[in-house]
Amino acid sequence: MADAKGKRDKVILAYSGGLDTSVMVHWIQEKYNLDVVTFTVDLGQGEDIEAIRQKALRTGAIDAIAIDARNLFVDCFVWPALMAGAIYEGKYPLATALGRPLIAKLMVDAARQFNARAVAHGCTGKGNDQVRFDVTFQTLAPDLRIIAPVREWKMTRDEEIAFVRQRNIPVEINEENLFSIDQNLWGRSCEAGVLEDPWVEPPAEAFAWTVDPSKAPDEPAYVVIDFDQGKPVSLEGKKMDGVALIGHLNKLAGAHGIGRIDHVENRLVGIKSRELYEAPAGVVLHMAHREIESLTLSRQAMRFKSIVAQEYADLIYNGQWFSAFHQDLAQFVLSSQRFVSGQVRVKLFKGNAFVVGRKSENSLYSKSLATYEKGDLFDHDAAKGFIRLWGLSQQTQAQLQLLKGGKGFELPGVLTDKRPE
Ligand code: ARG
């Protein structure tokens, strides 16, 4: 592809600096005749993105971009997901799934800035990540061509190594990785290798953010988390921005062995896959957030919100971040959080987090209604009439249907011939 003046068109390539994406810098130039601009984002994965940028230039990119998007990631992706209670299949706090739409959006911005005609990523053809990238690209910029070399080239690792050797591409070939890893500040995922057998216990090498719970300190640690309208704003009374707060909590909870998740999950593309996650801060914050909600939301709001949480998690997992449906759910979630402020006290001990205290200025908990001691304001007499009406329809149905003809009451679903008299 080239323009009228014979200059080559450009592609923005999501670049991690590993073997795959280094091969891509050349492969795309050769196969598609495009100039490659690499794009690397810091989402708190703990890598030196400037070093990766330099590496891209050495590897043959005509330009290389590195962006620190950690604050944007937390404020616009992680916190909304936390407030929504979005956890996929009740287990996965969605770190990777939240990162992809942001990376894709920033790549579209870069494509506009560089007047590029295409975008490229290194996702395989059987994962969720390709879906998240491609759907975001096609939503935000349907004119951009999407190139996914790994989906196309079908090279083995050895063939990739031969490819870089032939062309003298300066990339250090590390030992073959035991696992496939992805990480950002909200969590780390680990898959493949021995983990492909769901019966095999994850070996110690699979973990990087958490200590083995049996080796965690014998003394528990306590941490107080402050929420303001659903958002965590301080730890131990110390105000900090989201990036710092999550960083601190990852270290603290990880040191107590908290945040290990072993999940056989349902991928969008129809397969089950066994994934190991570490998300110390994610696990603690979701737990604490649910707790401050339990104090400040009505029963009805909590119930409805748990339905929203599932939909929210699915849409994140399935690559639909940039959808009208998401905007609608996000409005509900935001509104639901207006009284969700207060403190939660969490105990961290040998792989487990326990909420041991919670308080809020907006608390719906009334001691004088709940107490069994002096000062009880609950109207016990009112209970009697309430219960008569609450049970009325069930009582009526029993008389008119279930007990008709002098039959006894059939116990539903009891797998025995013996019935209580
Ligand atoms: N299964 C998780 C998800 O779909 C994690 C994916 C990790 N991606 C990776 N390229 N290793 O969000």
Side-chain angles (χ1 to χ4, degrees):
M1 287 193 271
D3 69 13
K5 288 183 227 122
K7 263 179 72 189
R8 289 212 291 188
D9 282 334
K10 295 188 202 80
V11 56
I12 307 291
L13 165 67
Y15 178 78
S16 70
L19 176 62
D20 282 348
T21 52
S22 298
V23 172
M24 265 168 231
V25 172
H26 283 252
W27 189 88
I28 292 176
Q29 297 187 40
E30 293 174 21
K31 169 103 198 255
Y32 287 96
N33 191 29
L34 289 167
D35 280 336
V36 175
V37 178
T38 64
F39 190 85
T40 306
V41 193
D42 185 356
L43 296 184
Q45 66 270 37
E47 283 170 335
D48 179 349
I49 54 166
E50 179 51 27
I52 295 174
R53 201 182 80 81
Q54 294 301 334
K55 183 176 179 181
L57 293 171
R58 286 198 304 277
T59 306
I62 61 144
D63 214 330
I65 310 167
I67 290 183
D68 177 357
R70 288 173 302 166
N71 285 309
L72 200 58
F73 182 47
V74 173
D75 293 338
C76 300
F77 290 78
V78 173
W79 285 165
L82 174 69
M83 295 194 289
I87 299 179
Y88 185 62
E89 295 183 336
K91 283 190 158 181
Y92 167 40
L94 293 161
T96 296
L98 284 164
R100 298 313 189 197
L102 173 55
I103 298 170
K105 155 80 172 89
L106 295 173
M107 286 172 70
V108 167
D109 294 348
R112 297 310 183 212
Q113 190 193 331
F114 280 75
N115 210 4
R117 296 287 190 83
V119 281
H121 60 71
C123 302
T124 70
K126 63 196 285 189
N128 296 309
D129 289 327
Q130 53 170 349
V131 180
R132 298 163 184 152
F133 273 113
D134 291 6
V135 169
T136 304
F137 291 142
Q138 85 194 44
T139 303
L140 301 182
D143 56 301
L144 292 177
R145 169 170 200 168
I146 301 170
I147 303 173
V150 177
R151 234 170 16 201
E152 278 180 50
W153 71 31
K154 301 183 177 82
M155 273 192 267
T156 63
R157 185 181 152 82
D158 287 342
E159 285 163 351
E160 288 185 47
I161 293 172
F163 184 100
V164 296
R165 295 252 154 88
Q166 269 164 18
R167 289 160 180 80
N168 276 325
I169 302 169
V171 47
E172 63 278 15
I173 313 287
N174 305 322
E175 306 245 312
E176 185 154 9
N177 300 329
L178 293 173
F179 306 105
S180 160
I181 310 285
D182 185 65
Q183 52 188 11
N184 61 47
L185 51 76
W186 197 230
R188 174 179 187 270
S189 77
C190 183
E191 62 188 279
V194 294
L195 298 172
E196 284 184 358
D197 181 347
W199 183 250
V200 168
E201 180 174 355
E205 312 82 76
F207 300 100
W209 290 19
T210 55
V211 306
D212 184 328
S214 69
K215 303 202 175 90
D218 292 326
E219 287 302 311
Y222 289 85
V223 62
V224 174
I225 303 162
D226 245 280
F227 289 88
D228 181 24
Q229 303 204 340
K231 235 185 278 174
V233 290
S234 71
L235 287 185
E236 291 301 305
K238 257 187 46 203
K239 282 238 175 304
M240 43 184 108
D241 68 30
V243 173
L245 189 147
I246 292 169
H248 265 79
L249 208 48
N250 270 333
K251 287 223 170 62
L252 180 62
H256 286 269
I258 291 158
R260 296 185 169 192
I261 298 158
D262 187 340
H263 186 187
V264 175
E265 78 191 28
N266 291 291
R267 284 195 190 162
L268 180 60
V269 294
I271 45 186
K272 288 192 189 288
S273 93
R274 198 273 189 99
E275 317 252 343
L276 204 63
Y277 299 107
E278 290 176 282
V283 164
V284 171
L285 287 173
H286 268 293
M287 178 183 280
H289 179 260
R290 228 178 291 125
E291 199 67 23
I292 195 70
E293 285 194 330
S294 75
L295 210 55
T296 53
L297 294 186
S298 69
R299 168 167 55 184
Q300 208 177 10
M302 284 179 75
R303 255 192 89 87
F304 186 68
K305 196 162 172 288
S306 72
I307 298 168
V308 170
Q310 254 190 45
E311 293 293 330
Y312 214 108
D314 283 359
L315 79 81
I316 293 169
Y317 190 84
N318 295 334
Q320 297 166 302
W321 185 265
F322 292 101
S323 62
F325 183 50
H326 177 209
Q327 293 179 331
D328 297 337
L329 292 190
Q331 287 296 321
F332 167 77
V333 170
L334 201 62
S335 169
S336 76
Q337 300 296 290
R338 63 200 191 279
F339 298 116
V340 183
S341 302
Q343 288 87 46
V344 180
R345 189 156 178 262
V346 185
K347 177 176 174 173
L348 311 171
F349 187 54
K350 293 218 181 273
N352 283 304
F354 309 88
V355 171
V356 293
R358 66 292 271 161
K359 63 180 173 186
S360 167
E361 286 182 2
N362 305 326
S363 178
L364 298 172
Y365 177 89
S366 162
K367 178 131 194 286
S368 49
L369 290 178
T371 186
Y372 285 97
E373 306 190 347
K374 261 214 329 268
D376 180 7
L377 295 180
F378 186 84
D379 182 352
H380 293 245
D381 294 332
K384 199 171 154 192
F386 165 74
I387 296 165
R388 278 207 66 75
L389 294 188
W390 164 244
L392 182 61
S393 67
Q394 182 173 311
Q395 177 189 347
T396 307
Q397 183 169 37
Q399 298 301 325
L400 298 180
Q401 296 175 344
L402 304 179
L403 299 172
K404 209 161 154 189
K407 276 191 284 157
F409 198 98
E410 295 281 329
L411 283 183
V414 175
L415 299 175
T416 169
D417 292 336
K418 290 219 184 69
R419 300 285 155 96
E421 293 301 303

